[in-house]
Amino acid sequence: IAAHAQSPRFARLPIAVVGLINSRKMALSNTAFTAADLAGWQSTLLGDSAQAADLSRFADTLAAIECGPTAIVDCTSSDAIAALYPSWLTRGLHVVTPNKKAFSGDMSLFREIQKLSSSPLGPTVYHEATVGAGLPVLSTLNDLVRTGDRIVKIEGIFSGTLSYLFNNFSAPGATQKFSDCVAVAKENGYTEPDPRDDLNGMDVARKVTILGRVAGLDIGTDTLPVENIVPESLRDVSTAEEFMVRLPEFDEHFSQLNREALQAGSVLRYVGFVDGLNGQSSVKLARYPLDHPFASLKGSDNIIAFTTDRFPNPLIIQGAGAGAAVTAFGIFSDLIKIAERFGSGLADSKC
C-alpha cells in the first residue's frame, strides 16, 4: 500500500484499506487507514480497544460503501469463510484471496462462485495467489483459455517444500540422506510444523485441482490420484517429533529410488500433472532426465510448464512460489486489476 501510494499510478488508481478483521477483533473506518495505522495494525487497529469481531457486520459495512469498487481480501485458509464468497458477490463485493478452499473443495461452491463472478460488469473473484503465490500462473492459464487455446497438459513443481527437498536430495553428486534434507528444511522453516502435511501431497493436489478447474475440467482432490510419500507406518504416529525421529528408518528406501533414477540418467521430482486430453491428471514422484528444466531447478522455486496447441514447446513460468512477500505481491496485483477494471473515474471523484 505504501509503495503504491508513492507511485505515479496512485492518482489514477487509489487503493485504500478501510477495514481489518481477525478472529477476535475488527476495525472499520469511513476514511482510509494511514500508513502508520497499517504498519502497527496489531496495536493501533486491533488492539485492546478494538471492536469484537463480527464478520457479518464487517461485510454489511463494506457492502454499503458507494465510493468505487470494494473488495474483501480473505487471507485465511478457512472453509467456512470460503463458503461466504457467494453471499459477498451477491452484494456486489469483489473477492481477492490466497485461500485455496473455495476453488479446490466442493464443486458446487466453485461453480456458484464462477457463475456469480462471470459478468464483465462485476463483481469478480481473483485468486492468483492460490497457485504459485505471486507467479503469473492463473492469469496465464486464464489468458490461454479465453483466447481459445487448447490445454494439452500442465505440469509443474508446485510445492516450495518438495522442490527444496528433491533439488537437494536428488541431484548428481548429492550425498545428503532424505531424513537429513527434511530436518534441514524443517529447521529453516520451509516445511509445515508437521512435515507430513507437505509430504502427503495434498497441498499440490489442491493446486492441481484449481488449475484443472480453471482449464475447464471436472476435477477434485477426492478423485485425483495422489502419491503420499510419507512411509505408511509413519502416517499415524501421534506427533511431528516422533515422525522426525523415525524417518531415518526409511532413508534406504528413498536412497534406492534415487539410485535407480540417477542410474537411468534422471532425478526425482515431486510433480503435479493436469491432463487436458485424457483425464489422467495426477500428483506423484516422477523421474526427469538431467537435461529437463525440472531437473535443473534450484532452491525452493516453483516451475510450471503449459503445453497447448499454440505452445507445443511448453510455455514455462519459474520463480519463488511461496513466502510472505511474493504472496502479498500476488494479492496486491489482483487488487490493482480490480481498480483498473472497475475503478474508472475514481481519481476525479470526491470519495
Side-chain angles (χ1 to χ4, degrees), residues 36-120:
D37 288 335
L38 295 172
W41 63 268
Q42 295 97 328
S43 58
T44 59
L45 298 178
L46 299 183
D48 293 338
S49 61
Q51 306 171 60
D54 183 337
L55 187 54
S56 177
R57 182 173 158 235
F58 186 83
D60 289 343
T61 302
L62 296 182
I65 295 175
E66 298 180 353
C67 186
T70 305
I72 294 185
V73 181
D74 171 20
C75 292
T76 75
S77 59
S78 166
D79 287 292
I81 291 179
L84 296 174
Y85 295 176
S87 68
W88 295 345
L89 291 166
T90 300
R91 301 172 68 188
L93 291 166
H94 302 275
V95 177
V96 171
T97 184
N99 185 351
K100 302 178 187 67
K101 299 301 176 60
F103 314 101
S104 62
D106 184 76
M107 180 64 85
S108 63
L109 175 60
F110 175 77
R111 286 177 173 156
E112 186 178 10
I113 291 169
Q114 268 196 323
K115 180 180 178 181
L116 291 170
S117 60
S118 62
S119 171

Side-chain angles (χ1 to χ4, degrees), residues 10-11 14-16 18 30-32 64-70 342-351:
F10 181 71
I15 295 176
V18 295
N30 293 324
T31 58
I65 295 175
E66 298 180 353
C67 186
T70 305
F342 304 104
S344 60
L346 277 182
D348 301 322
S349 74
K350 297 180 180 179
C351 297

Side-chain angles (χ1 to χ4, degrees), residues 13 55 104 108-109 121 126 129 132 163 171 184 201 245 299 316 327:
L13 296 172
L55 187 54
S104 62
S108 63
L109 175 60
L121 301 177
Y126 282 105
S163 176
V184 170
V245 167
I316 293 177
T327 302

Side-chain angles (χ1 to χ4, degrees), residues 2-312:
H4 180 70
Q6 295 169 10
S7 78
R9 300 184 67 184
F10 181 71
R12 187 171 66 85
L13 296 172
I15 295 176
V17 179
V18 295
L20 198 63
I21 186 171
N22 62 19
S23 60
R24 294 169 287 103
K25 300 284 187 176
M26 72 177 183
L28 291 161
S29 175
N30 293 324
T31 58
F33 294 135
T34 67
D37 288 335
L38 295 172
W41 63 268
Q42 295 97 328
S43 58
T44 59
L45 298 178
L46 299 183
D48 293 338
S49 61
Q51 306 171 60
D54 183 337
L55 187 54
S56 177
R57 182 173 158 235
F58 186 83
D60 289 343
T61 302
L62 296 182
I65 295 175
E66 298 180 353
C67 186
T70 305
I72 294 185
V73 181
D74 171 20
C75 292
T76 75
S77 59
S78 166
D79 287 292
I81 291 179
L84 296 174
Y85 295 176
S87 68
W88 295 345
L89 291 166
T90 300
R91 301 172 68 188
L93 291 166
H94 302 275
V95 177
V96 171
T97 184
N99 185 351
K100 302 178 187 67
K101 299 301 176 60
F103 314 101
S104 62
D106 184 76
M107 180 64 85
S108 63
L109 175 60
F110 175 77
R111 286 177 173 156
E112 186 178 10
I113 291 169
Q114 268 196 323
K115 180 180 178 181
L116 291 170
S117 60
S118 62
S119 171
L121 301 177
T124 192
V125 175
Y126 282 105
H127 57 104
E128 184 71 73
T130 58
V131 180
L135 296 177
V137 177
L138 292 182
S139 55
T140 298
L141 177 56
N142 273 309
D143 286 345
L144 292 169
V145 171
R146 281 195 297 257
T147 57
D149 203 353
R150 185 178 66 150
I151 306 300
V152 176
K153 66 178 178 178
I154 306 168
E155 194 173 13
I157 297 173
F158 297 103
S159 164
T161 301
L162 293 168
S163 176
Y164 175 87
L165 288 178
F166 286 101
N167 291 344
N168 285 276
F169 173 68
S170 186
T175 59
Q176 216 173 15
K177 296 177 181 178
F178 186 74
S179 62
D180 291 336
C181 288
V182 176
V184 170
K186 187 174 188 297
E187 183 178 340
N188 290 334
Y190 290 137
T191 74
E192 294 293 332
D194 188 334
R196 288 175 293 183
D197 291 336
D198 297 297
L199 299 174
N200 66 16
M202 287 310 299
D203 180 63
V204 177
R206 284 187 282 270
K207 294 171 183 176
V208 167
T209 295
I210 292 169
L211 288 166
R213 289 179 177 181
V214 172
L217 304 178
D218 286 339
I219 187 174
T221 56
D222 54 339
T223 58
L224 187 69
V226 179
E227 182 176 358
N228 182 349
I229 61 171
V230 177
E232 191 167 353
S233 62
L234 299 187
R235 294 176 188 176
D236 295 323
V237 298
S238 58
T239 66
E241 289 71 25
E242 183 181 355
F243 166 75
M244 293 301 299
V245 167
R246 293 189 54 192
L247 185 58
E249 299 172 18
F250 298 89
D251 278 337
E252 179 54 32
H253 162 71
F254 288 103
S255 292
Q256 179 63 27
L257 293 176
N258 196 30
R259 282 194 298 269
E260 292 171 357
L262 292 171
Q263 287 167 4
S266 301
V267 293
L268 298 173
R269 296 293 183 262
Y270 195 86
V271 297
F273 181 75
V274 177
D275 184 350
L277 300 183
N278 303 306
Q280 299 299 310
S281 301
S282 62
V283 175
K284 61 187 178 182
L285 187 63
R287 295 181 183 180
Y288 287 88
L290 294 175
D291 60 354
H292 193 280
F294 289 12
S296 58
L297 203 62
K298 303 296 182 184
S300 58
D301 275 2
N302 284 186
I303 185 168
I304 299 92
F306 296 92
T307 303
T308 73
D309 283 350
R310 295 188 192 128
F311 293 92

Side-chain angles (χ1 to χ4, degrees), residues 314-349:
L315 186 164
I316 293 177
I317 297 170
Q318 178 180 340
V326 289
T327 302
F329 160 74
I331 292 168
F332 199 71
S333 295
D334 283 346
L335 286 171
I336 290 175
K337 289 172 187 172
I338 290 173
E340 288 177 328
R341 281 184 63 186
F342 304 104
S344 60
L346 277 182
D348 301 322
S349 74

